[in-house]
Amino acid sequence: MKGKNILYWLRSVMVIAVKDIKVYYMTPSMIMFGFLIPFFLFFSFTVGRHLSIQSSIVRLISMTVFFTSSSAGQVILPMERRMKTLDRILATPVPLSALIIGKSFVGLFFGFTVSILPVIFALLFFKLTVSGIGLLLIGIFLSSWVFSMMGVFFSSFPVQKPGSVMMPSTLLRWPLLFISGIFIPLTAMSPLLRGVSYISPLTYTVDILNLSVTGSSIQSLFINFGVLIILNVIFYIFAVKLFIRGKVLGY
Amino acid sequence: MKNIVEVENLTKYYKKFRALNSVSFSVEEGEIFGFLGPNGAGKSTTVRILNTLLLPTSGRVFMAGHDLGKEPYEVKARIGLVPEISNPYLELSCYENLLFTGRLFGMKNRDIRSEIDNLLDFFELESKRNVKAEFLSKGLRRRLTIAMGLINRPKLLFLDEPVSGLDIQSARLIKRLIREANEKGTTIFITTHQLNVANDLCDRIAIIQDGEIKALDSPDRLKKAAKQSQAVEIHLDKLKDVDIKELKSLKTVERVDVNKGKAKLFTEHPEILYPLLISWAEKNNIRIEIMNTLSPTLEDVFIEITGKGFKKGPEGQKKRHKKV
Ligand SMILES: Nc1ncnc2c1ncn2[C@@H]1O[C@H](COP(=O)(O)OP(=O)(O)O)[C@@H](O)[C@H]1O
Ligand SMILES: [Mg+2]
């Protein structure tokens, strides 16, 4: 890529992300899946269970990072397909890579913002102490991006009815949530269950968050970050492949 | 004349269904080129392939001096697309829609702004500059979509069914604007299932049906075929007693179709036929209940040119191939 092309690529990513952030932040499904569900889940599984403020905040952030980030792509892409606005972007010289990464930045932005606010709130009003604020921010950032890319990947499946990816992919998110170490600490799990929990990407996020907030973790940071980065790349590659498949099928 | 589009043996299968069968054609720089055909003929499929929204099964496309398969970005920078369904972002204003599209093409903000001023003025949308597309009428939304297709000052603009489903006034205005855009130097590729759109706008017309080009011509031949397909339809009280041969022998009548109490008399000169028909009826003491001039349908013209009707009979033209 020439220098000019890299600038064009970066600008395309930003143009796409900023437009989506502006257009979609107030849509009903965004509010439903991005804001209400994570907070609702948090309250139903946390309040009245005598959890420390530290464990509570880890749970809440895991929830928002997971749901808010992955919702964006699943709201935006089917909508853009249905309204045929996606065709407009695809017909311009914007590379597919810039389109997909731009879309993934939307979930990243919302996941990150919605997760950071409770942290600030808890630091100010609930005497929350964290052992590594830098690590916490990096962990939230990377996790938001991975789960956002997951949402983009889910909604890249070429289907006749663009809305129809929403249900299965929403359903698929629940088991990933429940098998992760979010509700039961990995140390308290049977070896079998613990093996299963490593399937869920959320497990690695929870471990990073635990380390940055409480100072203790199970796997090494190297593994946690490694798995998340590799997953991000895999989701991206599959999203690209699905988009190209869509150009063959015609939807 | 230089060719701005050259398509060689383009074939497209949707799974097992063949939508395009080895289509070849070229478009000359500066002209308005039309694809005319019934719904489901493969017009949108062609346009979508030429705009990289769809990958062809086989075939080659050269556009604006580049091979589309090898240098898609070079091509895409030089063309504009107005898809079958108007697709501005409903949540954005006219201005914001144009700005976003310009940015996707990597244009400088200053250039985009001056181009937006030109386009809003040209498409008579100045008063709607800050109105969200959601609140625009169908015709205005169409105009905005065409403006968005022109924001990058393309050499070649694709218009898929530009005036389909619009009222006569909007359609007329849009046709005028298309002609003016062409006069300013943009080559135009139109698809339509409407005979009059092709006749009014195009310099050359390819007739496409079942994924194949059946004829390629100037509108003159089409107009002639259209003229030959004009007809006068009469409803008679005692059609059964009428000798059809007599009707056929009337001056200028070429062919007569009788169907359910109605007779359809094909003629190139309805104005000559009218008085003849009236005096014929008086002489034979027959009452003509209704008399209509029928403008040619696409199917009539197809029969005239290709010798064949649509596959699905007279309904073929109306049959909509739904696609989501
Ligand atoms: N994505 C698709 N999958 C399967 N068949 C399709 C798809 N898109 C179009 N078709 C079929 O291909 C044929 C040509 O469609 P199209 O190019 O849209 O026709 P036109 O634009 O001339 O009305 C039609 O029979 C249509 O049903
Ligand atoms: Mg079409």
Side-chain angles (χ1 to χ4, degrees), chain B residues 30-55:
Chain B
E31 73 175 338
I32 303 187
F33 180 85
F35 252 24
L36 174 67
N39 281 313
K43 304 182 296 295
S44 296
T45 300
T46 309
V47 168
R48 291 172 64 78
I49 290 174
L50 266 43
N51 283 275
T52 72
L53 300 179
L54 201 60
L55 289 170

Side-chain angles (χ1 to χ4, degrees), chain A residues 249-251, chain B residues 14 17 19 38-45 84 321 323:
Chain A
L249 289 172
Y251 41 77
Chain B
Y14 293 110
F17 176 75
N39 281 313
K43 304 182 296 295
S44 296
T45 300
E84 194 165 6
H321 292 267
K323 145 184 102 168

Side-chain angles (χ1 to χ4, degrees), chain B residues 231-236 238-248 253 255-266 280:
Chain B
V232 174
E233 189 183 61
I234 48 176
H235 297 224
L236 303 174
K238 18 184 186 178
L239 186 65
K240 281 189 208 86
D241 313 334
V242 172
D243 184 2
I244 302 298
K245 279 210 198 85
E246 254 178 62
L247 282 175
K248 243 180 225 163
V253 173
R255 185 154 66 86
V256 180
D257 285 353
V258 181
N259 188 10
K260 291 184 199 143
K262 287 182 273 184
K264 200 167 162 187
L265 291 75
F266 288 86
W280 166 83

Side-chain angles (χ1 to χ4, degrees), chain B residues 113-305:
Chain B
R113 269 188 221 109
S114 77
E115 201 54 36
I116 291 179
D117 290 340
N118 291 342
L119 287 169
L120 289 178
D121 180 51
F122 183 68
F123 283 94
E124 300 172 25
L125 286 166
E126 192 49 60
S127 63
K128 308 286 178 194
R129 174 181 278 259
N130 296 314
V131 175
K132 286 187 179 177
E134 191 182 353
F135 303 115
L136 297 180
S137 69
K138 219 170 164 189
L140 290 177
R141 225 179 260 186
R142 199 68 185 143
R143 263 143 68 185
L144 173 60
T145 310
I146 301 176
M148 288 162 79
L150 284 168
I151 187 88
N152 59 324
R153 297 194 199 102
K155 286 179 165 203
L156 169 66
L157 179 69
F158 290 88
L159 293 153
D160 197 355
E161 304 279 3
V163 298
S164 165
L166 298 183
D167 60 274
I168 296 173
Q169 255 139 10
S170 309
R172 193 175 298 150
L173 175 60
I174 286 177
K175 281 198 256 179
R176 196 195 79 209
L177 294 171
I178 292 172
R179 229 175 274 123
E180 285 179 22
N182 175 249
E183 275 157 21
K184 286 192 200 167
T186 316
T187 307
I188 291 184
F189 185 128
I190 280 187
T191 81
T192 181
H193 65 278
Q194 293 161 290
L195 197 57
N196 67 327
V197 176
N199 270 340
D200 292 355
L201 287 175
C202 299
D203 299 314
R204 282 189 316 137
I205 297 167
I207 290 187
I208 178 169
Q209 189 187 348
D210 296 331
E212 289 175 6
I213 292 185
K214 304 285 182 185
L216 187 88
D217 249 308
S218 68
D220 292 343
R221 167 123 176 261
L222 199 67
K223 279 187 182 136
K224 200 159 158 258
K227 214 161 176 230
Q228 284 161 354
S229 314
Q230 289 182 95
V232 174
E233 189 183 61
I234 48 176
H235 297 224
L236 303 174
D237 57 347
K238 18 184 186 178
L239 186 65
K240 281 189 208 86
D241 313 334
V242 172
D243 184 2
I244 302 298
K245 279 210 198 85
E246 254 178 62
L247 282 175
K248 243 180 225 163
S249 68
L250 288 173
K251 212 167 136 195
T252 78
V253 173
E254 278 148 25
R255 185 154 66 86
V256 180
D257 285 353
V258 181
N259 188 10
K260 291 184 199 143
K262 287 182 273 184
K264 200 167 162 187
L265 291 75
F266 288 86
T267 172
E268 280 186 50
H269 303 284
E271 72 287 354
I272 299 179
L273 185 58
Y274 278 140
L276 297 177
L277 260 174
I278 291 168
S279 51
W280 166 83
E282 272 172 5
K283 206 175 76 196
N284 292 292
N285 202 18
I286 293 169
R287 199 159 56 84
I288 298 179
E289 287 166 343
I290 302 172
M291 182 148 83
N292 288 322
T293 323
L294 302 181
S295 22
T297 66
L298 187 54
E299 172 147 37
D300 293 332
V301 173
F302 268 54
I303 295 173
E304 203 56 54
I305 288 179

